[in-house]
Amino acid sequence: MIERMWIDICPVDSIPARGCRVAHTQHGQIAIFRTATGEVFALDNRCPHKGGPLSEGIVHDRQVTCPLHNWVIGLEDGEAKGADKGSVRRYPVRLEDGRVYIDVRLVPTTSAA
């Protein structure tokens, strides 16, 4: 069994409804989204189309629209919606005692080639 490695990101109340906060990791940025109903999701902060900053997109229902070319990405699965094809990495999120945690075991590693 693989153990999860949760890291404390921020208080959930520090993310506005239909907004986002960015966690900077040594391997890239992770966008933490909060929906209008208070659900929280985490995705790489990079649209699969042209790399637009999803954290600057519009959050609606359980989706975010990229600010560059209006691609719609599902917050639950990281998949592009409609006719667009592509996906972005998503991360497990846990809410506990009013704080947001993400599973860093899934944060990609890179090599210094």
Side-chain angles (χ1 to χ4, degrees):
M1 181 174 157
I2 298 174
E3 294 287 326
R4 294 194 181 269
M5 297 173 59
W6 299 101
I7 60 168
D8 186 347
I9 299 297
C10 63
V12 68
D13 291 343
S14 70
I15 307 171
R18 286 183 248 153
C20 183
R21 185 165 177 173
V22 177
H24 298 269
T25 73
Q26 63 181 352
H27 306 294
Q29 297 179 356
I30 299 174
I32 316 295
F33 297 94
R34 185 174 178 199
T35 68
T37 60
E39 294 178 290
V40 178
F41 300 93
L43 303 174
D44 277 342
N45 188 23
R46 184 174 168 79
C47 180
H49 177 226
K50 298 277 186 177
L54 292 177
S55 61
E56 296 177 21
I58 297 171
V59 176
H60 48 98
D61 299 323
R62 289 177 152 182
Q63 304 174 9
V64 60
T65 298
C66 180
L68 293 186
H69 300 99
N70 295 323
W71 275 40
V72 177
I73 309 298
L75 296 175
E76 291 179 278
D77 59 9
E79 296 290 327
K81 303 302 177 188
D84 299 319
K85 302 293 178 204
S87 64
V88 61
R89 183 184 304 263
R90 68 173 198 82
Y91 301 91
V93 171
R94 183 176 83 190
L95 301 178
E96 184 176 308
D97 296 329
R99 298 199 62 88
V100 176
Y101 295 83
I102 62 171
D103 183 0
V104 294
R105 182 181 52 82
L106 298 178
V107 173
T109 59
T110 58
S111 63

